[in-house]
Amino acid sequence: MAYEPAGAPDYFNIDDLLTEEHILIRQTMRDFVKREISPKIEQWAQDAHFPSEIVKKFGDVGAFGPTIPTEYGGGGLDYISYGIIMQEIERGDSGMRSTASVQGSLVMYPIYKYGSEEQRKKYLPKLASGEWLGCFGLTEPDFGSNPGGMMTNIKDMGDHYLLNGSKMWISNSPECQVAVVWAKNEEGRIKGLIVERGMEGFTTPEIHNKWSLRASCTGELVFDNVKIPKENILPNVDGLRGPLGCLDSARYGISWGAIGAAIDCYESALKYSKERIQFDKPIGGFQLTQKKLAEMLTEITKAQLMVWRLGTLMNEGKATTQQISMAKRNSVDMALHIAREARQIHGGMGITGEYPIMRHMMNLESVITYEGTHDIHLLITGADITGIQAFK
């Protein structure tokens, strides 16, 4: 009997490693994506339209801050649950997953981890529910892979801070109500602060003409003498470890999410290969097509096993930055390769919006660069195994 994927390829029975709650969460998110995202995503992408109404819907379904404790509006779930949620959203679209993972890992996580109790109570419930959308300001026009070089700065004015500078390539920024921003103080130490929409001198210009993540809104953060109340500083972190800790959480989500994009491409290619007739038989009957499909499934399976193990380590508090880095790079590289192979199986139809392949491929070109480029992640692994830093 031919192998038939049961809604998601599970060639090594990895579902046996999941709890009933994990399976239920996956089905809930899969149903949500099929209902709220998949029927509309091709049009949103074609139109470069961010559907702002999806934010509240994400909040209602529990996609924001799944690992944040329930007392602050989060899901109180484990890291495997979080990974599964990201996987299912990215089966729909990487841009949609970006919206959710920025909110959970890069906005809610630092406020919970590094913030005061007052900050947690003020911001987290509104972010969890989708009433507010947040963004994360680290990358600058001249400082991407080298965040320690940032120019954005704060000056102590006595009863408040004065914030100046700019951030670039910020998901959610044009629609955000709140931004977690990283800036250097007068001593050159990096501090986290919460900037709210409406503060004088704070603007969020949108970036247009993207060929990737077209259903996600991306922009800048510009700070022109913005007065920041002292209570808006994140009190429990100092230095670069603050933003890098957030990136660990977000990269972990991407390591699962990219597998979702790969699964969607693989399943579309498998189905198409059985239906498309050439030379009097389905193209799935040709050796080279079978080679492509077999290699796709193998790579997906390897990535699934890696992220499951990583999720277990995350739950135990044992996962290292370097392990998360390896998983992010591997999953995205794998997904991009599968998207390209799937495009070939679809032939000319693969470039149209009738199938999700080209959209996933374009999206993944961003995912392979953001939150640590493919090459930087290789060098993180290289530094870990040799003990020698290559990027300094």
Side-chain angles (χ1 to χ4, degrees):
M1 178 182 169
Y3 167 73
E4 292 288 343
D10 184 15
Y11 209 63
F12 268 59
N13 300 338
I14 300 168
D15 277 8
D16 293 351
L17 303 171
L18 305 180
T19 65
E20 287 184 16
E21 184 180 38
H22 292 147
I23 303 291
L24 180 62
I25 288 166
R26 186 176 66 192
Q27 193 58 53
T28 300
M29 288 308 303
R30 189 169 297 169
D31 291 344
F32 172 84
V33 170
K34 283 182 178 175
R35 182 176 69 252
E36 301 291 347
I37 295 175
S38 297
K40 308 162 190 170
I41 188 62
E42 299 299 341
Q43 196 60 53
W44 292 339
Q46 290 279 358
D47 296 343
H49 169 68
F50 174 68
S52 52
E53 68 276 7
I54 202 72
V55 177
K56 187 70 175 68
K57 292 176 180 178
F58 272 145
D60 292 342
V61 80
F64 291 147
T67 62
I68 300 292
T70 53
E71 63 189 283
Y72 302 112
L77 301 171
D78 72 347
Y79 274 94
I80 290 178
S81 299
Y82 173 56
I84 288 168
I85 291 168
M86 294 302 107
Q87 174 185 284
E88 291 305 314
I89 296 175
E90 195 147 355
R91 280 179 73 166
D93 185 73
S94 301
M96 293 289 99
R97 196 266 310 140
S98 296
T99 301
S101 65
V102 166
Q103 183 93 327
S105 288
L106 297 181
V107 183
M108 295 176 69
Y109 175 84
I111 292 172
Y112 171 69
K113 184 83 172 174
Y114 308 134
S116 66
E117 190 61 20
E118 291 74 24
Q119 289 168 343
R120 291 172 186 158
K121 288 177 177 172
K122 178 178 179 181
Y123 297 105
L124 292 178
K126 286 186 169 66
L127 290 162
S129 69
E131 181 182 342
W132 282 2
L133 184 66
C135 68
F136 176 82
L138 179 62
T139 300
E140 296 188 358
D142 294 322
F143 293 96
S145 295
N146 177 25
M150 70 174 65
M151 304 296 290
T152 300
N153 63 87
I154 51 171
K155 288 184 180 174
D156 193 336
M157 306 302 288
D159 62 341
H160 66 275
Y161 287 98
L162 215 53
L163 172 66
N164 280 285
S166 64
K167 302 292 183 178
M168 187 80 167
W169 303 117
I170 309 301
S171 292
N172 299 354
S173 85
E175 302 267 341
C176 77
Q177 280 75 46
V178 61
V180 171
V181 175
W182 303 91
K184 283 183 177 174
N185 66 12
E186 286 146 300
E187 291 77 48
R189 295 294 293 172
I190 293 172
K191 294 289 186 180
L193 47 143
I194 301 169
V195 184
E196 298 178 41
R197 174 76 66 188
M199 288 182 171
E200 192 173 350
F202 173 42
T203 55
T204 58
E206 187 168 358
I207 294 170
H208 296 287
N209 298 323
K210 297 181 300 177
W211 287 107
S212 181
L213 301 179
R214 288 172 60 82
S216 167
C217 62
T218 311
E220 302 173 56
L221 301 174
V222 180
F223 314 109
D224 181 12
N225 287 324
V226 182
K227 288 184 179 179
I228 305 294
K230 291 213 163 173
E231 62 265 25
N232 281 38
I233 299 292
L234 298 175
N236 299 321
V237 74
D238 184 61
L240 202 52
R241 71 180 182 88
L244 294 184
C246 303
L247 288 172
D248 275 353
S249 178
R251 289 165 175 171
Y252 168 75
I254 293 170
S255 75
W256 282 81
I259 296 173
I263 287 171
D264 200 46
C265 291
Y266 164 76
E267 291 186 337
S268 182
L270 178 60
K271 185 170 185 289
Y272 189 83
S273 76
K274 293 177 178 180
E275 296 170 350
R276 173 66 168 164
I277 307 296
Q278 287 292 286
F279 304 104
D280 303 321
K281 69 175 183 178
I283 60 172
F286 292 103
Q287 289 181 2
L288 288 177
T289 304
Q290 291 192 4
K291 176 181 184 289
K292 286 183 172 68
L293 293 168
E295 288 176 343
M296 287 182 195
L297 182 58
T298 303
E299 293 306 312
I300 288 169
T301 301
K302 285 154 65 176
Q304 286 172 323
L305 287 162
M306 180 182 274
V307 299
W308 174 82
R309 177 60 186 155
L310 182 60
T312 303
L313 292 170
M314 292 282 286
N315 286 339
E316 295 171 352
K318 295 179 182 176
T320 67
T321 293
Q322 293 82 359
Q323 288 168 334
I324 294 167
S325 172
M326 179 185 280
K328 187 270 184 182
R329 181 192 58 79
N330 179 71
S331 289
V332 185
D333 185 58
M334 174 274 298
L336 195 48
H337 181 71
I338 283 177
R340 289 170 178 155
E341 293 286 274
R343 211 290 303 153
Q344 290 201 55
I345 290 174
H346 285 77
M349 292 304 293
I351 71 162
T352 72
E354 294 293 309
Y355 297 91
I357 311 303
M358 204 70 180
R359 177 174 48 81
H360 281 307
M361 195 189 304
M362 292 193 300
N363 285 342
L364 288 164
E365 289 290 350
S366 290
V367 183
I368 204 166
T369 293
Y370 71 29
E371 296 185 35
T373 69
H374 179 81
D375 290 350
I376 287 290
H377 283 300
L378 281 170
L379 296 182
I380 289 171
T381 304
D384 196 38
I385 59 182
T386 65
I388 307 167
Q389 288 275 13
F391 35 69
K392 284 185 182 176

PDB file of all heavy atoms in Angstrom, residues 46-47 67 161 163 165 195 211 231 257 260 263 319 346 352:
ATOM      1  N   GLN A  46      -0.801  38.577  -3.316  1.00  0.00           N
ATOM      2  CA  GLN A  46      -0.818  39.270  -4.610  1.00  0.00           C
ATOM      3  C   GLN A  46      -1.008  40.777  -4.421  1.00  0.00           C
ATOM      4  O   GLN A  46      -0.402  41.589  -5.113  1.00  0.00           O
ATOM      5  CB  GLN A  46      -1.945  38.725  -5.489  1.00  0.00           C
ATOM      6  CG  GLN A  46      -1.713  37.309  -6.001  1.00  0.00           C
ATOM      7  CD  GLN A  46      -0.811  37.241  -7.210  1.00  0.00           C
ATOM      8  OE1 GLN A  46      -0.366  38.260  -7.721  1.00  0.00           O
ATOM      9  NE2 GLN A  46      -0.515  36.034  -7.667  1.00  0.00           N
ATOM     10  N   ASP A  47      -1.852  41.137  -3.473  1.00  0.00           N
ATOM     11  CA  ASP A  47      -2.190  42.548  -3.242  1.00  0.00           C
ATOM     12  C   ASP A  47      -1.239  43.233  -2.267  1.00  0.00           C
ATOM     13  O   ASP A  47      -1.413  44.425  -1.976  1.00  0.00           O
ATOM     14  CB  ASP A  47      -3.621  42.669  -2.703  1.00  0.00           C
ATOM     15  CG  ASP A  47      -4.674  42.192  -3.699  1.00  0.00           C
ATOM     16  OD1 ASP A  47      -4.340  42.080  -4.896  1.00  0.00           O
ATOM     17  OD2 ASP A  47      -5.813  41.919  -3.271  1.00  0.00           O
ATOM     18  N   THR A  67       3.573  30.135  25.444  1.00  0.00           N
ATOM     19  CA  THR A  67       4.337  29.670  26.606  1.00  0.00           C
ATOM     20  C   THR A  67       4.282  30.652  27.780  1.00  0.00           C
ATOM     21  O   THR A  67       4.791  30.356  28.865  1.00  0.00           O
ATOM     22  CB  THR A  67       5.823  29.443  26.241  1.00  0.00           C
ATOM     23  OG1 THR A  67       6.403  30.682  25.821  1.00  0.00           O
ATOM     24  CG2 THR A  67       5.958  28.416  25.122  1.00  0.00           C
ATOM     25  N   TYR A 161      13.789  59.493  29.805  1.00  0.00           N
ATOM     26  CA  TYR A 161      14.882  59.288  28.845  1.00  0.00           C
ATOM     27  C   TYR A 161      14.496  59.914  27.513  1.00  0.00           C
ATOM     28  O   TYR A 161      13.308  60.000  27.178  1.00  0.00           O
ATOM     29  CB  TYR A 161      15.166  57.800  28.630  1.00  0.00           C
ATOM     30  CG  TYR A 161      15.861  57.120  29.796  1.00  0.00           C
ATOM     31  CD1 TYR A 161      15.126  56.395  30.726  1.00  0.00           C
ATOM     32  CD2 TYR A 161      17.238  57.198  29.950  1.00  0.00           C
ATOM     33  CE1 TYR A 161      15.748  55.768  31.795  1.00  0.00           C
ATOM     34  CE2 TYR A 161      17.879  56.575  31.014  1.00  0.00           C
ATOM     35  CZ  TYR A 161      17.123  55.863  31.938  1.00  0.00           C
ATOM     36  OH  TYR A 161      17.748  55.244  32.986  1.00  0.00           O
ATOM     37  N   LEU A 163      14.974  59.292  23.538  1.00  0.00           N
ATOM     38  CA  LEU A 163      15.336  58.226  22.599  1.00  0.00           C
ATOM     39  C   LEU A 163      15.514  58.791  21.196  1.00  0.00           C
ATOM     40  O   LEU A 163      14.630  59.489  20.685  1.00  0.00           O
ATOM     41  CB  LEU A 163      14.243  57.150  22.596  1.00  0.00           C
ATOM     42  CG  LEU A 163      14.325  56.031  21.550  1.00  0.00           C
ATOM     43  CD1 LEU A 163      15.548  55.155  21.779  1.00  0.00           C
ATOM     44  CD2 LEU A 163      13.042  55.180  21.577  1.00  0.00           C
ATOM     45  N   GLY A 165      17.193  57.698  17.104  1.00  0.00           N
ATOM     46  CA  GLY A 165      17.740  56.656  16.234  1.00  0.00           C
ATOM     47  C   GLY A 165      16.668  56.059  15.343  1.00  0.00           C
ATOM     48  O   GLY A 165      15.571  56.617  15.197  1.00  0.00           O
ATOM     49  N   VAL A 195       8.183  51.315  23.849  1.00  0.00           N
ATOM     50  CA  VAL A 195       7.745  52.551  23.197  1.00  0.00           C
ATOM     51  C   VAL A 195       6.307  52.352  22.747  1.00  0.00           C
ATOM     52  O   VAL A 195       5.969  51.312  22.169  1.00  0.00           O
ATOM     53  CB  VAL A 195       8.642  52.892  21.986  1.00  0.00           C
ATOM     54  CG1 VAL A 195       8.250  54.234  21.378  1.00  0.00           C
ATOM     55  CG2 VAL A 195      10.117  52.904  22.399  1.00  0.00           C
ATOM     56  N   TRP A 211       9.110  41.627  -2.481  1.00  0.00           N
ATOM     57  CA  TRP A 211       8.749  40.424  -3.226  1.00  0.00           C
ATOM     58  C   TRP A 211       8.579  39.225  -2.281  1.00  0.00           C
ATOM     59  O   TRP A 211       8.380  38.101  -2.731  1.00  0.00           O
ATOM     60  CB  TRP A 211       9.816  40.099  -4.269  1.00  0.00           C
ATOM     61  CG  TRP A 211       9.820  41.013  -5.448  1.00  0.00           C
ATOM     62  CD1 TRP A 211      10.728  41.976  -5.741  1.00  0.00           C
ATOM     63  CD2 TRP A 211       8.849  41.058  -6.500  1.00  0.00           C
ATOM     64  NE1 TRP A 211      10.398  42.624  -6.901  1.00  0.00           N
ATOM     65  CE2 TRP A 211       9.247  42.074  -7.398  1.00  0.00           C
ATOM     66  CE3 TRP A 211       7.675  40.332  -6.783  1.00  0.00           C
ATOM     67  CZ2 TRP A 211       8.528  42.386  -8.547  1.00  0.00           C
ATOM     68  CZ3 TRP A 211       6.963  40.656  -7.928  1.00  0.00           C
ATOM     69  CH2 TRP A 211       7.388  41.664  -8.793  1.00  0.00           C
ATOM     70  N   GLU A 231       9.614  54.349  33.799  1.00  0.00           N
ATOM     71  CA  GLU A 231       8.953  53.067  34.089  1.00  0.00           C
ATOM     72  C   GLU A 231       8.804  52.192  32.843  1.00  0.00           C
ATOM     73  O   GLU A 231       8.347  51.046  32.929  1.00  0.00           O
ATOM     74  CB  GLU A 231       7.590  53.278  34.766  1.00  0.00           C
ATOM     75  CG  GLU A 231       6.564  54.028  33.936  1.00  0.00           C
ATOM     76  CD  GLU A 231       6.543  55.526  34.240  1.00  0.00           C
ATOM     77  OE1 GLU A 231       7.567  56.062  34.701  1.00  0.00           O
ATOM     78  OE2 GLU A 231       5.473  56.141  34.026  1.00  0.00           O
ATOM     79  N   GLY A 257       8.418  26.373  12.350  1.00  0.00           N
ATOM     80  CA  GLY A 257       7.575  27.008  11.353  1.00  0.00           C
ATOM     81  C   GLY A 257       7.972  26.683   9.935  1.00  0.00           C
ATOM     82  O   GLY A 257       7.130  26.348   9.089  1.00  0.00           O
ATOM     83  N   GLY A 260       6.669  23.676   8.455  1.00  0.00           N
ATOM     84  CA  GLY A 260       5.294  23.793   7.959  1.00  0.00           C
ATOM     85  C   GLY A 260       5.241  24.215   6.508  1.00  0.00           C
ATOM     86  O   GLY A 260       4.471  23.667   5.705  1.00  0.00           O
ATOM     87  N   ILE A 263       6.299  21.237   4.421  1.00  0.00           N
ATOM     88  CA  ILE A 263       5.220  20.241   4.356  1.00  0.00           C
ATOM     89  C   ILE A 263       4.180  20.654   3.319  1.00  0.00           C
ATOM     90  O   ILE A 263       3.714  19.831   2.515  1.00  0.00           O
ATOM     91  CB  ILE A 263       4.564  20.058   5.745  1.00  0.00           C
ATOM     92  CG1 ILE A 263       5.495  19.281   6.676  1.00  0.00           C
ATOM     93  CG2 ILE A 263       3.211  19.350   5.626  1.00  0.00           C
ATOM     94  CD1 ILE A 263       5.035  19.246   8.127  1.00  0.00           C
ATOM     95  N   ALA A 319      18.292  23.635  26.412  1.00  0.00           N
ATOM     96  CA  ALA A 319      18.654  23.977  25.030  1.00  0.00           C
ATOM     97  C   ALA A 319      19.647  25.134  25.017  1.00  0.00           C
ATOM     98  O   ALA A 319      19.488  26.119  25.744  1.00  0.00           O
ATOM     99  CB  ALA A 319      17.416  24.341  24.227  1.00  0.00           C
ATOM    100  N   HIS A 346       5.782  20.875 -10.197  1.00  0.00           N
ATOM    101  CA  HIS A 346       4.563  21.531 -10.673  1.00  0.00           C
ATOM    102  C   HIS A 346       4.718  22.119 -12.082  1.00  0.00           C
ATOM    103  O   HIS A 346       3.733  22.590 -12.654  1.00  0.00           O
ATOM    104  CB  HIS A 346       4.146  22.663  -9.718  1.00  0.00           C
ATOM    105  CG  HIS A 346       3.522  22.196  -8.442  1.00  0.00           C
ATOM    106  ND1 HIS A 346       4.250  21.689  -7.394  1.00  0.00           N
ATOM    107  CD2 HIS A 346       2.223  22.162  -8.042  1.00  0.00           C
ATOM    108  CE1 HIS A 346       3.441  21.381  -6.399  1.00  0.00           C
ATOM    109  NE2 HIS A 346       2.201  21.647  -6.764  1.00  0.00           N
ATOM    110  N   THR A 352       2.351  29.974 -10.523  1.00  0.00           N
ATOM    111  CA  THR A 352       1.067  30.670 -10.417  1.00  0.00           C
ATOM    112  C   THR A 352       0.522  30.605  -8.993  1.00  0.00           C
ATOM    113  O   THR A 352       0.938  29.770  -8.184  1.00  0.00           O
ATOM    114  CB  THR A 352       0.013  30.041 -11.351  1.00  0.00           C
ATOM    115  OG1 THR A 352      -0.382  28.761 -10.823  1.00  0.00           O
ATOM    116  CG2 THR A 352       0.562  29.853 -12.760  1.00  0.00           C
TER     117      THR A 352
END
